Amino acid sequence: MGYVYLALAIIAEVLGTTALQACDGFTKVLPSSIVVTGYGLAFYFLSLVLKTIPMGIAYAIWAGVGIVLIGIAGAIFFKQIPDIPAMIGMGLIVSGVAVINVFSKTVSH
């Protein structure tokens, strides 16, 4: 169940961060509400994740996947297209998360 909660935490964080771009300094009510709700849910689910997945591993996955999804959301919703070095960097982050999940004995499966 830990990985289900982790996926929910990541989704909530990505929604919150995407809305953060649109809330215009918390001057727009709907995007601001999504930011607060998204981050609240993200941290709630992350707290549940930490019952079964070690903190460092959970955070590495959360941050790594979140960075890539935020990059995609920025490209789709705000036309913020990452350049080649940014895409390579994101690829390295995904590779690092994959190495952790495949090879680390710290990960509880």
Side-chain angles (χ1 to χ4, degrees):
M1 201 61 189
Y3 284 99
V4 172
Y5 290 141
L6 184 55
L8 292 171
I10 292 167
I11 291 166
E13 187 266 336
V14 168
L15 289 172
T17 301
T18 302
L20 190 60
Q21 175 77 40
C23 80
D24 195 28
F26 287 96
T27 60
K28 296 181 180 173
V29 175
L30 181 60
S32 297
S33 299
I34 294 170
V35 169
V36 172
T37 302
Y39 282 125
L41 287 170
F43 285 109
Y44 170 73
F45 286 121
L46 187 60
S47 74
L48 298 178
V49 169
L50 298 180
K51 292 180 179 183
T52 58
I53 299 173
M55 179 175 52
I57 302 302
Y59 195 78
I61 295 168
W62 184 36
V65 174
I67 287 168
V68 171
L69 292 177
I70 288 299
I72 292 168
I76 292 170
F77 297 113
F78 303 107
K79 306 299 184 237
Q80 299 171 347
I81 309 300
D83 59 9
I84 296 297
M87 288 190 271
I88 291 170
M90 287 185 219
L92 290 169
I93 291 167
V94 170
S95 298
V97 169
V99 166
I100 289 169
N101 279 294
V102 173
F103 298 107
S104 177
K105 293 182 182 1
T106 308
V107 177
S108 54
H109 291 280

